[in-house]
Amino acid sequence: DIGSIELDLSNINSALSPFFHVPLEQLDLSGQNLSSVPLDNILEDSYIKSIDLSDCMIKSYKGLFYELECLEKVKLTNLSAVNNNDLRRIFSRCKSLEEIDLSSMDFGTDVDMSEAFYHCTKLKSIKWPANSKINVNNLEGTFYNCQLLEKIDLSVFEGSTVDKISYTFEKYALSIIAGILDSDSPIANASFAT
């Protein structure tokens, strides 16, 4: 049983999926330039509980932690991506994750956040960047089935032109939505299923 491992993946440019089917609990990739490594879905079927991607440069956020049902802690301080506008399914189905800190991540423009936190049933809080806005165009299914998420500050999306919002808050135990987008944004006048 391997508890944790430190890797230098900066010279790898092919799929790593078979490697991560070992029972790792912690993975520290901090400080790595992984911009040529296809990370989306490589951790599939793993038992990883903690991942540190601090100070990393990666190829894309898309599907990065998709279906990591055991993931409890993720450290993303100063994480940046070459393709920083695609957050589709980044944390989708991370059923053990309770909090996510996105406050120092690098975001592009016209961000697609569809199903970003989809079915994160234990998620209680998301920390957004404090002094900046995320220009998002797709929120489809973003907070679907986030049953324990008590508050979402939507002001981080202020000024966005959101084109897709279906099932954004479906099966969501909504108690408070803080912040309202610009009145001409489609999400400002939308009705959400709860």
Side-chain angles (χ1 to χ4, degrees):
D1 184 29
I2 300 173
S4 66
I5 191 167
E6 188 171 322
L7 301 171
D8 178 357
L9 301 176
S10 57
N11 294 319
I12 296 174
N13 59 11
S14 62
L16 301 171
S17 190
F19 176 80
F20 288 106
H21 289 275
V22 296
L24 289 176
E25 287 190 11
Q26 299 176 13
L27 183 62
D28 184 349
L29 297 173
S30 59
Q32 301 288 325
N33 181 351
L34 305 171
S35 57
S36 62
V37 180
L39 292 175
D40 58 318
N41 299 323
I42 66 162
L43 302 171
E44 185 178 335
D45 298 329
S46 74
Y47 300 98
I48 292 177
K49 292 182 179 180
S50 175
I51 299 175
D52 187 348
L53 289 176
S54 300
D55 302 307
C56 280
M57 169 60 86
I58 62 175
K59 190 172 188 174
S60 174
Y61 298 134
K62 178 186 172 194
L64 189 57
F65 306 108
Y66 181 70
E67 288 191 331
L68 292 184
E69 294 185 4
C70 296
L71 186 64
E72 296 172 355
K73 184 178 181 185
V74 61
K75 190 171 180 186
L76 306 172
T77 309
N78 298 319
L79 176 65
S80 56
V82 174
N83 178 4
N84 62 359
N85 62 349
D86 191 350
L87 274 80
R88 285 179 291 168
R89 295 185 171 178
I90 184 172
F91 296 105
S92 184
R93 298 184 185 274
C94 290
K95 296 178 181 180
S96 299
L97 202 55
E98 293 184 15
E99 54 186 38
I100 300 169
D101 185 348
L102 305 177
S103 63
S104 64
M105 276 179 59
D106 175 43
F107 295 98
T109 57
D110 293 325
V111 175
D112 183 343
M113 291 186 77
S114 58
E115 298 187 359
F117 310 105
Y118 180 93
H119 208 64
C120 291
T121 54
K122 290 188 179 177
L123 185 62
K124 294 178 182 176
S125 70
I126 301 169
K127 186 174 180 183
W128 302 105
N131 298 319
S132 61
K133 304 294 182 192
I134 302 172
N135 186 2
V136 66
N137 64 23
N138 188 346
L139 287 173
E140 223 169 20
T142 302
F143 305 106
Y144 177 89
N145 208 17
C146 292
Q147 298 172 5
L148 299 180
L149 194 57
E150 296 174 359
K151 181 178 180 179
I152 303 173
D153 185 354
L154 295 178
S155 66
V156 72
F157 304 131
E158 190 173 336
S160 294
T161 303
V162 182
D163 298 324
K164 298 178 182 176
I165 57 170
S166 63
Y167 68 99
T168 299
F169 295 108
E170 248 180 82
K171 296 189 179 183
Y172 173 71
L174 183 63
S175 53
I176 299 172
I177 295 180
I180 298 172
L181 298 179
D182 291 343
S183 60
D184 52 352
S185 174
I187 199 169
N189 299 312
S191 60
F192 301 109
T194 55

